[in-house]
Amino acid sequence: MYIPIRQLWWLAAGGGAAAGYGARYMKARINFALAERRRQRTPDPTGELLRLQTLYGYNPHSLVSIAPGALLWSTPDIDGAVIYSEFGSVWLAAGDPLASREDMAELARQFAAFAKKKGRVAAFVPASTELAKLVSSKQFTPVKVGASPYFDLKTWNPRGDSAKKLRAGVNQARRAGVKVEVVSTVNEKLKAETARLCLRWLGTRRAGTTFGWLVALDPFLHADHKKYFAARVDGELVGFLAASPIPARKAWYLEDVLRLPDAPQGTATLLVFEALMALKAEGVPVATLGTAPLATEGTEDIACGEHPMIERTFRAASRKLGAFYNFDGLRRFKGKFVPSWWESEYILSQPGVTIPPRVGHAIVRALVPGGLTQLLTRQVLRIARQNVTKTLRPSSKVVNRTQPPKLTS
């Protein structure tokens, strides 16, 4: 029987005799086939979701979440929709409902009620502070999962000691000859260059894997709605940035910030700085770099005391999962641009003792399609590959021409 690599962790963990593994594998394949069949019978919701996002998009992730595999839920009495995906018994909604501020809470309530009728658990992540304030604490339990830095571009002018790391990165990149340009036309050449850059960038990530629905790397999805910035050295693409609109806030979300592993120091910093300056010159009032998972910044004006154990778990996760994802490094990178303020972001789930673990598992599956199974397996394979590379690498006394070719990811 063919055993996919992403499932090897089950065997490595001693989880199963062949019969047990086979049963789980066949069940997963059957469930996947049934889900695909249901989706093929369902009309493509992309057009309607893009219309609603253009009218009501408030959460930075609203455009990003309109992706293949996403589902739409709506009700006739509200002009709006919830973007969600199914993960077992959990219906995980991306950010906030696409609806007016007056209707967001009611749409979220009705979605949760419908999910309950179907024997499912509804959750919103990452929900904005605005949505967390609007919904009733009797309907949803908020748990802080991170924060996003926001920039008031009308007044943003980073100076002084707080901006010294920003200035250092910008100056390093400029001295190395990095130039940032606003992309006016997305053509096949740019797509090919960016694809190569993305693959090399992913090869350097601690997670050792691509990411799933909530943070999928797909910069040209809905390209007509986005802005792009390219960093080049002597014509070569060394960095790339994609930005998505947040129409309800007249803001932009700098969603993908990528660079080659061997790009000059400060390339990513210069990309973000030049993008923010370009948006400021256009008269854009607000921009954000999006969620820094597990960040503690942001005001604490939402009561989250019902699940202190869950909050402690999230704080511990930043340490435990550090080998897979550099949470703290991402927070520091976003913070060095001297944001005007930070906004807290939350998981909003229906109250219940058994809900938080199931919702947490769904979030992991949304981030990594194979779940922790894939995350751990690929990390093991990544470490093994690095060890092989070290073994094959000759001593420093050997001249370069005799070295074997480098192994690529």
Side-chain angles (χ1 to χ4, degrees):
M1 180 178 62
Y2 168 68
I3 299 177
I5 287 178
R6 67 174 179 273
Q7 305 295 359
L8 287 177
W9 183 259
W10 290 356
L11 300 180
Y21 174 82
R24 290 195 299 274
Y25 175 63
M26 290 307 299
K27 181 181 179 181
R29 291 298 298 269
I30 291 169
N31 289 341
F32 177 79
L34 291 174
E36 285 299 304
R37 190 173 299 173
R38 286 196 301 270
R39 285 173 182 166
Q40 289 173 4
R41 292 197 299 263
T42 304
D44 183 3
T46 301
E48 174 64 4
L49 289 174
L50 288 174
R51 180 188 74 83
L52 293 170
Q53 197 276 337
T54 302
L55 290 173
Y56 306 123
Y58 182 90
N59 192 294
H61 301 274
S62 61
L63 182 64
V64 178
S65 61
I66 303 174
L71 303 173
L72 176 154
W73 184 89
S74 62
T75 181
D77 54 334
I78 295 176
D79 185 33
V82 173
I83 306 172
Y84 74 103
S85 193
E86 293 182 317
F87 297 92
S89 62
V90 177
W91 285 0
L92 198 62
D96 304 353
L98 288 176
S100 67
R101 185 181 184 279
E102 293 74 19
D103 291 330
M104 272 203 303
E106 177 60 17
L107 189 59
R109 186 196 67 77
Q110 290 193 30
F111 172 70
F114 183 79
K116 188 174 182 180
K117 284 182 181 179
K118 295 294 184 180
R120 300 293 189 267
V121 174
F124 293 83
V125 62
S128 68
T129 297
E130 183 73 5
L131 179 61
K133 288 179 178 178
L134 290 172
V135 298
S136 167
S137 60
K138 294 180 181 179
Q139 298 164 349
F140 293 96
T141 298
V143 177
K144 182 171 177 175
V145 293
S148 289
Y150 280 80
F151 304 88
D152 180 354
L153 296 180
K154 294 178 181 178
T155 60
W156 181 71
N157 188 19
R159 292 182 179 181
D161 288 344
S162 61
K164 61 183 180 181
K165 291 184 179 179
L166 169 59
R167 290 195 302 273
V170 167
N171 291 335
Q172 277 184 307
R174 285 176 173 169
R175 285 196 296 268
V178 179
K179 295 183 179 179
V180 175
E181 60 188 26
V182 179
V183 175
S184 57
T185 303
V186 175
N187 53 34
E188 293 305 314
K189 179 176 181 294
L190 178 65
K191 288 182 178 180
E193 288 179 304
T194 307
R196 289 191 293 269
L197 187 152
C198 288
L199 289 173
R200 291 189 61 188
W201 179 84
L202 284 170
T204 67
R205 299 301 90 193
R206 288 189 184 185
T209 180
T210 57
F211 295 106
W213 171 58
L214 285 179
V215 286
L217 180 59
D218 193 353
F220 294 110
L221 183 67
H222 311 311
D224 292 344
H225 296 259
K226 296 183 179 181
K227 295 180 184 291
Y228 297 103
F229 302 85
R232 296 184 182 275
V233 175
D234 296 329
E236 179 189 0
L237 186 70
V238 297
F240 192 77
L241 187 152
S244 294
I246 314 173
R249 305 187 72 165
K250 298 180 180 178
W252 284 82
Y253 164 35
L254 279 57
E255 62 176 87
D256 292 322
V257 183
L258 315 169
R259 68 173 182 86
L260 287 178
D262 54 355
Q265 288 292 320
T267 295
T269 301
L270 181 62
L271 256 175
V272 173
F273 176 77
E274 293 287 8
L276 289 172
M277 293 301 291
L279 293 172
K280 180 176 181 176
E282 288 182 21
V284 174
V286 177
T288 181
L289 284 170
T291 308
L294 307 176
T296 58
E297 286 84 353
T299 57
E300 303 296 337
D301 50 2
I302 303 293
C304 298
E306 293 186 39
H307 287 293
M309 184 176 68
I310 302 300
E311 293 176 342
R312 288 197 296 271
T313 300
F314 276 112
R315 286 196 293 270
S318 64
R319 299 187 297 271
K320 296 289 185 180
L321 297 179
F324 305 113
Y325 194 87
N326 190 3
F327 295 105
D328 193 50
L330 181 64
R331 180 192 58 78
R332 289 197 307 270
F333 174 78
K334 294 183 177 185
K336 77 176 176 180
F337 294 95
V338 196
S340 305
W341 71 89
W342 289 77
E343 288 187 12
S344 299
E345 295 182 340
Y346 304 87
I347 293 174
L348 297 180
S349 63
Q350 295 161 284
V353 175
T354 62
I355 290 173
R358 289 154 67 188
V359 172
H361 180 64
I363 292 170
V364 170
R365 290 179 62 192
L367 295 174
V368 183
L372 285 175
T373 296
Q374 184 192 74
L375 187 65
L376 294 170
T377 301
R378 293 202 177 185
Q379 183 71 0
V380 170
L381 294 175
R382 182 182 178 84
I383 293 172
R385 185 178 62 204
Q386 290 173 345
N387 289 339
V388 169
T389 303
K390 291 178 181 178
T391 302
L392 293 177
R393 186 178 297 138
S395 68
S396 58
K397 294 181 181 179
V398 181
V399 295
N400 289 336
R401 65 176 179 272
T402 64
Q403 293 183 1
K406 293 182 180 179
L407 299 180
T408 58
S409 56

